[in-house]
Structures are given as C-alpha cells and as structure tokens.
Amino acid sequence: TENELSPVVVVNNKTSMWCKTPRLGGRTALKRSVGRRIGEKARSQFSSADPSGDAPFELPAGVSLSLLRFHVFCPSAASASAGPSTAPSHGKKKPKAGGSASTSSGESTTLVSVYVQNDECPLLVDVSTRQDWFYPTVYTLWRIPTLLPVLYIHPPVLRHILKGADLMLPGLDLPDGRVNALPHFHKGSLVSICITGNEHPVAVGEALLDRSDVTRGANGRLHGRGFTILHHIYDELWKLGPQLELPASTHFAVGNEQEGVADEDDREEGDDDDDDREEGDD
C-alpha cells in the first residue's frame, strides 16, 4: 500500500544536522561487551529523563552494534551571522566527536556517532558535545513507542517539520484540550512526536521549555516555539536505515480538514509569506 505521507516529502530542512548527506568518517564493529555498556548508558539516560516511562530502552536480542562516525552539517554555525570562522585553520588533527570543522566548500560540520544495528539500522545518535547524551532514531521509537514522553501534533504540522520548522506550541494536539494533560518534560528533555491517530513517532524533539511554562495567552491560544527537531522521518538519518515507511495505526491524510489549523498557526507565528502561499495552494 502506498504510504500516504509520500506526496508531502519535501525535506529542505536548513536547521537540522540531518538535512544534508553526511560524510562517513569511520566505521568500527563493537564487541558485545561494549554494545551492552552503550545500551546500559542509554537506558539510564532515558529512564532518568522519564521515570514514569513504562518501556525502558533495551537493545534487540542478539544484536551486534557498529559505531559509525559522520561529519554532518552544523546548523548552528550555518544560521549564525557572518563572523570569524570557528574551524581550525591549521594542523592535521581530526576534530573530536562533537567538535566543529569546515569542508572544502566552507560549510561547517560536526562529528557525531551513530550506533547501527547489524550494519543496517541506526538505533542511537551520540552527540558528544554532551557527555554520553544519546537520542533514539525513529526506528528505535517504532520498536519502543513509549520510550520518551509522547506528544501528538495535528496532521498538517508534519509538513512544516519536514521543511525544517521547529515544533511550535500551537501545533500540539492537546489531550482533551488541556495543557495539564501533556506528559511531564522539562527544558532539554527528549520527546517523541506523533501524528494524532498513529502512535508511531515521526520525529524526535528537544524541549525548549518546561511543561509548567506551557500556558495559554490572553486569546486562549498557545504560542511560541516548543521543541527543536533533532531528527524526523525521511531525513538523512532515516535514509541510513532500511527506509521503512511509517507503520500504520489508523489511516490519515496530511492536510485535509485540519488545513486551517496549520495556516492559522503560521500567521500567528510569523512564518514567511512564501510558505503561507504554498500552504494555501494545497
């Protein structure tokens, strides 16, 4: 069955490190003991972030892990205003994981580690600018959907995520319309992002605020940025794996009767006119 998301796959995300094809910097097959330690560290991180989680992280039985190091696009440097380069200007040392460098074209990159199952499916990303700080891929979350606090979004919002937008608070589909029904999270927490009607995540985000700071404005609406998108379906990290489509739960169409929700949120959040016109043409 043709996946209903396919017609809206337009990934020109300029703010994600997975918006451009990464350059492989090295590959190492890990011993089982090392793989177990990685799994234990990830389990500890995810469990402490969401103590109420009912599905702790576990590596698949009998899995062998490989460590792949990639030079990936560095969005923070690309979005910064023009100024002195942070790239090293001399020497032949390779940057440490998480360190910045530049390609021959002048594009800033950073080195990250991706833990891959049986050389075919990425499970975890290690952003080593933070000590042993992992985030899971959508493939991992499809296997353990409640590993992280789960947020639901209106279906049309996915298009904006695929195009590079952070998740704005108006895009959240609140349980029973109540802010206090959101799962617990704090600034810096990882969250799973799902489309209403399907419990399989389409993206992984990092909270930009505490849940207690999510409040309605004077007009009764949510406003502002809520979550930075670290990874989503169809990006270059997803392409490193088997490129499976979103598992079905209930069928939905992106951009149908709720189209006005996304358009209203765009106007409220001040998106550019081109995007508004593009959404209006659908």
Side-chain angles (χ1 to χ4, degrees):
T1 303
E2 184 177 354
N3 186 278
E4 298 182 28
L5 292 178
S6 299
V8 297
V9 179
V10 182
V11 182
N12 57 0
N13 189 335
K14 301 300 184 185
T15 61
S16 165
M17 64 173 56
W18 300 108
C19 69
K20 298 184 179 182
T21 304
R23 179 166 58 87
L24 183 63
R27 176 191 299 265
T28 305
L30 301 179
K31 294 181 179 179
R32 295 283 178 129
S33 58
V34 175
R36 283 195 298 270
R37 286 199 295 272
I38 295 299
E40 289 166 1
K41 288 179 179 179
R43 175 173 179 157
S44 175
Q45 176 193 323
F46 299 145
S47 298
S48 61
D50 185 19
S52 62
D54 57 3
F57 177 77
E58 296 284 356
L59 288 174
V63 68
S64 60
L65 282 186
S66 295
L67 168 62
L68 277 60
R69 292 190 182 277
F70 287 100
H71 298 274
V72 298
F73 175 65
C74 188
S76 58
S79 61
S81 57
S85 171
T86 58
S89 59
H90 56 81
K92 297 184 178 180
K93 280 189 175 181
K94 293 182 179 179
K96 295 181 179 179
S100 295
S102 289
T103 64
S104 56
S105 62
E107 194 171 78
S108 184
T109 64
T110 190
L111 191 63
V112 301
S113 300
V114 179
Y115 293 95
V116 178
Q117 170 188 347
N118 299 332
D119 285 332
E120 62 182 24
C121 186
L123 299 179
L124 296 167
V125 177
D126 180 5
V127 183
S128 296
T129 48
R130 310 183 187 187
Q131 187 64 35
D132 293 328
W133 188 81
F134 304 93
Y135 62 83
T137 66
V138 291
Y139 296 116
T140 293
L141 292 175
W142 292 348
R143 186 172 57 86
I144 318 174
T146 57
L147 178 64
L148 302 175
V150 179
L151 302 174
Y152 286 90
I153 59 174
H154 301 292
V157 175
L158 178 60
R159 268 190 307 221
H160 300 281
I161 290 176
L162 294 181
K163 293 176 183 178
D166 286 338
L167 176 55
M168 314 301 284
L169 292 175
L172 294 176
D173 191 356
L174 299 179
D176 301 321
R178 296 181 295 115
V179 172
N180 61 6
L182 288 170
H184 174 76
F185 58 83
H186 57 81
K187 185 176 182 179
S189 290
L190 294 173
V191 296
S192 294
I193 298 167
C194 300
I195 297 173
T196 298
N198 192 317
E199 72 276 15
H200 298 95
V202 294
V204 181
E206 181 180 1
L208 297 172
L209 73 176
D210 296 339
R211 188 189 69 171
S212 59
D213 294 328
V214 179
T215 56
R216 297 184 184 276
N219 61 358
R221 297 179 55 134
L222 301 177
H223 61 89
R225 295 184 182 275
F227 305 87
T228 296
I229 301 301
L230 301 175
H231 156 55
H232 59 71
I233 189 171
Y234 302 129
D235 68 8
E236 294 298 325
L237 180 56
W238 173 84
K239 291 178 183 178
L240 293 176
Q243 302 189 23
L244 300 175
E245 297 290 359
L246 183 70
S249 180
T250 58
H251 291 291
F252 57 86
V254 177
N256 47 20
E257 71 280 1
Q258 297 195 60
E259 187 69 38
V261 175
D263 289 343
E264 281 188 21
D265 293 343
D266 287 345
R267 288 194 293 271
E268 178 175 323
E269 296 307 324
D271 283 1
D272 60 73
D273 292 336
D274 288 340
D275 284 345
D276 287 343
R277 285 195 296 270
E278 179 180 345
E279 294 304 319
D281 291 338
D282 291 342

